[in-house]
Amino acid sequence: MTSLKTFDMAGAKKTAVKGNPDIYGIEPNTYAMHTVVRSQLAAQRSGTHSTKTRGMVRGGGAKPWRQKGTGRARQGTIRAPQWSGGGVVFGPSPRSYAFKVPNKVVKLAMRSALSAKVADEQLIVVNKFDFKKPSAKAGAKMLSELGLEGKKVTVVVGNEDDNAYLSLRNIDRVRVIFAFEVNTYDLIDNKMLVLCKEAVTFIEEVLG
């Protein structure tokens, strides 16, 4: 089993949580992580950019000059691509950039990300987020006690722990997500990853 550094909200060390070595102790597959992150970022692109072809540009119905006898090159419309204000050749049109990644690759990427965080000592577990009510002040104090103040942190809270979510979501440089929202990009886009015990259990059920 892989040992995960464990603390309470006051920053005191607790008995280390035993993590599944198949999730927290594998050799990270950088190709899988890169593919999944690229897929996530591509899916976020709006893809709404557009251009007009010569048939879509307003005007240009009349032939600019007669076909022969002027000494100039023949032209059929002032909205042809070679004219200023004309249509665009092979321009972008609305599209989706999303592409699918096999589910087993997605899970491999998340296991790789978690293993990399453990190897780099950038993952800690908090026994329990014991927020009696939503409080950004209490959330900031917890991060300070853990030595994470000012750092870019991703915090994974329990699926129904609304108080913890609301206490942490507005703190600068902190991204807070529920356990069911865990994904490769959020796992690696930080300087420190903080999980609660409930999140560790949930992740092991999903990825185990």
Side-chain angles (χ1 to χ4, degrees):
M1 300 294 283
T2 302
S3 294
L4 306 177
K5 291 183 179 179
T6 308
F7 302 85
D8 61 17
M9 288 180 57
K13 284 189 176 181
K14 296 294 181 181
T15 303
V17 169
K18 300 299 183 181
N20 187 336
D22 293 331
I23 297 175
Y24 300 99
I26 69 170
E27 180 69 26
N29 188 315
T30 55
Y31 176 76
M33 288 191 288
H34 176 264
T35 301
V36 172
V37 169
R38 195 161 57 87
S39 170
Q40 287 184 249
L41 296 180
Q44 292 175 14
R45 296 183 65 176
S46 61
T48 55
H49 44 27
S50 184
T51 54
K52 292 183 179 181
T53 64
R54 61 185 290 168
M56 299 175 182
V57 182
R58 182 186 176 96
K63 188 174 175 65
W65 50 76
R66 66 179 190 269
Q67 182 80 347
K68 295 179 178 295
T70 65
R72 290 176 289 184
R74 57 194 176 189
Q75 301 292 332
T77 172
I78 62 171
R79 293 297 178 247
Q82 70 271 21
W83 285 75
S84 177
V88 177
V89 181
F90 303 132
S93 57
R95 55 165 289 195
S96 170
Y97 285 89
F99 62 92
K100 296 193 70 174
V101 178
N103 192 47
K104 65 179 182 181
V105 177
V106 173
K107 289 186 176 182
L108 173 60
M110 285 195 284
R111 288 196 294 267
S112 297
L114 290 166
S115 295
K117 283 295 180 181
V118 172
D120 294 339
E121 298 186 347
Q122 294 182 352
L123 186 152
I124 62 174
V125 176
V126 174
N127 261 345
K128 184 180 181 182
F129 294 129
D130 191 20
F131 294 98
K132 304 302 182 184
K133 61 180 181 178
S135 170
K137 183 177 180 180
K141 181 181 179 182
M142 182 194 76
L143 294 175
S144 178
E145 297 288 356
L146 292 171
L148 304 178
E149 187 175 11
K151 292 184 179 181
K152 188 174 184 180
V153 180
T154 297
V155 182
V156 184
V157 303
N159 288 329
E160 298 181 358
D161 195 350
D162 292 331
N163 285 346
Y165 180 86
L166 295 172
S167 297
L168 296 163
R169 67 174 180 173
N170 289 327
I171 300 176
D172 190 38
R173 296 175 63 80
V174 174
R175 179 189 288 118
V176 55
I177 58 176
F178 290 108
F180 70 85
E181 296 177 304
V182 167
N183 60 84
T184 304
Y185 182 76
D186 284 338
L187 291 176
I188 64 177
D189 186 35
N190 54 68
K191 291 296 183 182
M192 185 63 71
L193 178 64
V194 180
L195 309 176
C196 66
K197 266 189 175 180
E198 183 182 339
V200 172
T201 302
F202 181 84
I203 289 170
E204 291 190 354
E205 289 176 356
V206 173
L207 300 181

